[in-house]
Amino acid sequence: MSRPEITGPASAFYNNKEARKYDSSSRMMSVQHEITTRAIELLRLSPDQPALVLDIGCGSGLSGKALEEAGHVWVGCDVSRDMLTVANERIERKRDAVTKSLKEGGKTEDMDESDDDDSSMEDDNQGGAVASTGDLMHHDMGTGLPFRPATFDACISISAIQWLCYSNTKEQVPKKRLLRFFSSLYQVLRRGGRAVLQFYPETAEQAVLISECAAKVGFAGGIVVDYPNSTKAKKHYLVLSFDRAFKQPQGIPDGGLLSATDRQRGGVRVDGETDKYGHKRAPKKNKNKFSGKTKEW
């Protein structure tokens, strides 16, 4: 399957059909929740105080839902109106559920999703209806972010910023769009805030371009790579900070992919484990030339 970024602009790719499919796939919902949870972990926000978080490329609101579960308030922007329509429907369903709950004077079941099997994850561990803490905006991040300085405590982006590495018109120059985006992000984050941007680079050069553009506008940080030797599970997170003494977090090693039970059941070899005779297995060599490291900032 070809990368969606090379088929045309995101606003055209994520049409109504694609947006509905994206939001109804249990696999996609699970992956998005896992990635967003990891991004929130890398933000290192205070667990006792809700933060105002900017969600860039918010899509259908799956990442916003994870932010809500973590107790935060969020503003999402996306270039696809169809994705935002689905996200707004999600928000409205939650608000309607709260209204119904107040009228009935009791708890209601979470009406965030339909009752089919694909939405079972959405309804887990939900008590009474709780209003959404999200808001939405239609916007192209490549033109810069239209918010006042120091508006947000933090920022996340899930599977979005790699779109800036592609041009669909002569006017769209990837490096200029990246610099415009990061320059505006630098302005709208409060000092002391942090941004975690998960993305899928097509090449190592794209990852370097993205990180160097972030550094050029003043950010400190670097790329954290989880599961570096896995073809399917490998994830890149650009972690940005204002602190020049910022210490880059460690990525999750490949051994973190499987629980001990899963490893025994599947008999899958994981680096650093022992065989059935108690002998330690030699780690695999990393054949991937790109380690996720860029030049020191």
Side-chain angles (χ1 to χ4, degrees):
M1 179 181 176
S2 61
R3 293 176 64 97
E5 296 89 352
I6 65 176
T7 64
S11 56
F13 179 81
Y14 290 111
N15 53 29
N16 181 63
K17 180 180 178 181
E18 194 68 26
R20 300 288 173 186
K21 182 172 68 174
Y22 190 94
D23 196 60
S24 62
S25 166
S26 58
R27 176 184 173 279
M28 184 59 68
M29 290 159 63
S30 177
V31 170
Q32 288 291 100
H33 189 274
E34 179 184 346
I35 294 174
T36 308
T37 300
R38 173 62 169 154
I40 294 171
E41 175 188 327
L42 291 170
L43 284 177
R44 297 181 180 174
L45 296 170
S46 171
D48 304 321
Q49 184 175 357
L52 177 59
V53 182
L54 175 61
D55 184 359
I56 299 172
C58 63
S60 63
L62 295 176
S63 48
K65 183 177 186 301
L67 286 168
E68 291 177 3
E69 292 172 353
H72 303 300
V73 180
W74 61 283
V75 175
C77 64
D78 201 282
V79 72
S80 168
R81 291 187 182 276
D82 290 306
M83 278 289 206
L84 290 173
T85 295
V86 176
N88 188 61
E89 290 172 359
R90 180 191 301 275
I91 291 174
E92 290 300 320
R93 284 197 298 270
K94 296 197 74 172
R95 288 174 179 168
D96 290 344
V98 171
T99 301
K100 182 178 179 180
S101 177
L102 293 174
K103 287 181 178 179
E104 294 178 352
K107 293 184 178 180
T108 64
E109 293 296 322
D110 184 12
M111 297 175 64
D112 187 41
E113 297 295 328
S114 60
D115 294 329
D116 58 89
D117 293 337
D118 281 353
S119 65
S120 60
M121 185 191 71
E122 299 280 324
D123 297 324
D124 290 342
N125 302 319
Q126 298 292 326
V130 179
S132 172
T133 59
D135 206 351
L136 304 169
M137 169 182 284
H138 178 252
H139 187 72
D140 176 8
M141 59 182 166
T143 63
L145 301 170
F147 302 103
R148 292 179 179 178
T151 297
F152 298 97
D153 300 311
C155 170
I156 66 167
S157 179
I158 309 300
S159 313
I161 64 170
Q162 72 271 3
W163 285 90
L164 295 178
C165 294
Y166 302 83
S167 59
N168 297 292
T169 66
K170 290 188 295 185
E171 291 74 23
Q172 290 185 347
V173 180
K175 187 172 183 178
K176 289 183 178 179
R177 283 167 60 79
L178 282 164
L179 287 171
R180 192 180 299 119
F181 163 69
F182 282 117
S183 178
S184 60
L185 178 61
Y186 193 90
Q187 295 297 320
V188 304
L189 279 179
R190 67 168 179 80
R191 296 303 175 264
R194 184 178 292 187
V196 176
L197 316 174
Q198 182 271 328
F199 66 106
Y200 292 105
E202 184 176 9
T203 64
E205 289 74 19
Q206 280 189 2
V208 172
L209 174 64
I210 289 172
S211 61
E212 287 185 342
C213 286
K216 190 169 184 177
V217 305
F219 278 116
I223 296 177
V224 175
V225 182
D226 286 351
Y227 315 124
N229 298 312
S230 172
T231 303
K232 293 183 178 180
K234 185 176 182 179
K235 299 291 185 297
H236 294 76
Y237 298 85
L238 180 62
V239 183
L240 302 176
S241 171
F242 292 100
D243 184 4
R244 307 308 301 179
F246 172 75
K247 186 176 181 182
Q248 183 175 319
Q250 295 294 314
I252 300 176
D254 296 282
L257 278 170
L258 299 171
S259 66
T261 303
D262 291 332
R263 294 170 191 164
Q264 290 179 351
R265 184 184 301 127
V268 179
R269 170 177 169 171
V270 179
D271 295 348
E273 287 191 333
T274 58
D275 59 23
K276 63 181 180 180
Y277 302 106
H279 301 140
K280 188 173 182 179
R281 289 169 169 157
K284 296 179 181 178
K285 292 183 179 179
N286 183 5
K287 296 181 181 180
N288 191 337
K289 293 182 180 180
F290 180 58
S291 64
K293 295 180 179 179
T294 59
K295 69 176 185 180
E296 292 185 4
W297 294 5

